Amino acid sequence: MHRIGIVVGAVSLFVAVSASASPAAPALDPAGTGSRSVVEVQHASPTRPLIAVSHRGAAGHAPENTLAALDAADELGAETVEIDIQRTADNHIVLLHDTTLARTTNVESVFPDRSPYLVGDFTLREIKRLDAGSWFAPSFTGERIPTFDEALDRLERLDLNLFLEVKEPALYPGIERAVAEELAGRRTWLEHNPAWEPRKLIVQSFDWDSVRRSKSLLPSVPHALLGRVPEARIGEFTWAHMINPNHTTIDAAYVRRVQDAGLEIMPYTINDRQRMDHVLGLGVDGFITDFPDTGQRAIADFNGGRDAIDRAATPAPALVRY
Ligand code: G3P
Ligand code: CA
């Protein structure tokens, strides 16, 4: 077990307690209220800090899954972003959430005869003609759908970590291998970063078979299962590092069950500050949000005023788990 539960009445006790805590995990906050005034469930990883993962780039501030969204995440102080990937007709990996191009581009006006506008029916050259920014705000007009390669270049330049969601992999047989081949040329993504820092790369999907295939191709990379894995099945996934469910589907008991199995848990997608405070009280390891600035503030407050990522205050790792 790498997760430690601690009951404290004041946030200020946390650092001192966590540095010396035993791995015993008492039953905490059984009602799952997340109340901080009486009994508090503290995030107590001996290793990684809490993080607010900036969703689809930074979807609250810029058109999702674009380079502008990655820039926005960086400007807002995020250290980790989430993006979605799919594959074009000519086998290029691009950033897109929906399986169709309709919602987030002007495809219907550029290619009016190509309904239902599936990304897998378009070549990269065609996709690069689309405007992926003006639907969000006029100031983003001309923003393009980036390739995975272009996104990695930008992430490396900005020194951002990545939660990489493989979207609908059943539509794109072999996409896990294509991702692995892309990353093979960029070794920094495959190396273990220090255990007291946020993870460099997580590969995740709602398709757990795809996650397993990816893990076999990228054994050094931690992987996450999206969705709520039933309690009775969590033991099947000890090769994974994370379970990331919808935040509305979890309570303190579920968080504890995941962490007792040696996995981390970072629910999605939380944009409401009160809800962020609530899941932090449940003891999660982080959460995914369209608003990384709000998320960072929630974590800093939860940490008793320390920055969301405060390495100087992070205890030396007692356990390194890859
Ligand atoms: O990172 C998890 C989250 O992104 C899953 O939901 O629909 O936004 O991809 P969705
Ligand atoms: Ca996603």
Side-chain angles (χ1 to χ4, degrees), residues 14-248:
F14 170 58
V15 172
V17 172
S18 64
S20 59
S22 79
L28 302 176
D29 193 19
T33 62
S35 167
R36 305 189 67 201
S37 56
V38 181
V39 174
E40 184 169 0
V41 180
Q42 284 279 5
H43 168 86
S45 168
T47 58
R48 314 277 174 186
L50 288 164
I51 59 171
V53 179
S54 194
H55 187 232
R56 305 186 195 174
H61 297 270
E64 64 187 54
N65 286 311
T66 63
L67 297 182
L70 302 183
D71 291 342
D74 181 59
E75 286 159 15
L76 291 161
E79 80 293 326
T80 302
V81 299
E82 188 259 7
I83 60 172
D84 304 290
I85 55 165
Q86 299 186 59
R87 199 171 65 195
T88 67
D90 52 344
N91 294 319
H92 292 275
I93 300 177
V94 293
L95 273 57
L96 198 73
H97 177 273
D98 300 1
T99 52
T100 90
L101 295 153
R103 181 177 60 87
T104 56
T105 76
N106 60 344
V107 68
E108 289 169 280
S109 57
V110 178
F111 298 103
D113 303 326
R114 299 279 294 276
S115 176
Y117 310 112
L118 297 173
V119 62
D121 289 344
F122 287 77
T123 65
L124 179 61
R125 188 183 176 88
E126 290 171 333
I127 283 171
K128 282 294 187 182
R129 290 178 55 192
L130 304 176
D131 181 336
S134 58
W135 72 273
F136 186 82
S139 58
F140 291 103
T141 299
E143 195 67 31
R144 302 291 159 189
I145 291 178
T147 62
F148 182 39
D149 184 59
E150 290 167 338
L152 287 172
D153 282 347
R154 186 63 59 96
L155 293 169
E156 288 169 10
R157 182 155 72 74
L158 298 173
D159 194 23
L160 288 169
N161 307 316
L162 175 61
F163 276 37
L164 177 66
E165 181 180 350
V166 183
K167 216 47 158 171
E168 304 292 346
L171 296 177
Y172 314 110
I175 192 171
E176 301 88 359
R177 181 168 296 281
V179 168
E181 287 172 356
E182 174 71 41
L183 293 171
R186 299 171 179 268
R187 304 296 299 179
T188 55
W189 294 99
L190 307 181
E191 293 166 0
H192 299 147
N193 56 321
W196 57 89
E197 291 184 357
R199 296 187 184 282
K200 181 72 183 163
L201 172 65
I202 291 281
V203 177
Q204 60 177 5
S205 182
F206 286 100
D207 182 330
W208 303 338
D209 292 333
S210 170
V211 179
R212 188 72 187 91
R213 285 194 294 277
S214 179
K215 180 65 182 174
S216 70
L217 293 165
L218 294 167
S220 69
V221 173
H223 282 65
L225 308 163
L226 285 173
R228 192 184 195 282
V229 177
E231 282 94 328
R233 294 194 60 197
I234 290 173
E236 296 174 28
F237 298 101
T238 52
W239 49 267
H241 286 71
M242 244 178 231
I243 293 174
N244 296 338
N246 186 299
H247 70 97
T248 61

Side-chain angles (χ1 to χ4, degrees), residues 276-304:
M276 293 174 184
D277 294 342
H278 174 75
V279 298
L280 288 167
L282 298 183
V284 298
D285 298 281
F287 55 84
I288 298 165
T289 176
D290 293 338
F291 298 94
D293 44 345
T294 307
Q296 300 269 0
R297 278 197 297 276
I299 291 173
D301 289 347
F302 186 77
N303 284 341

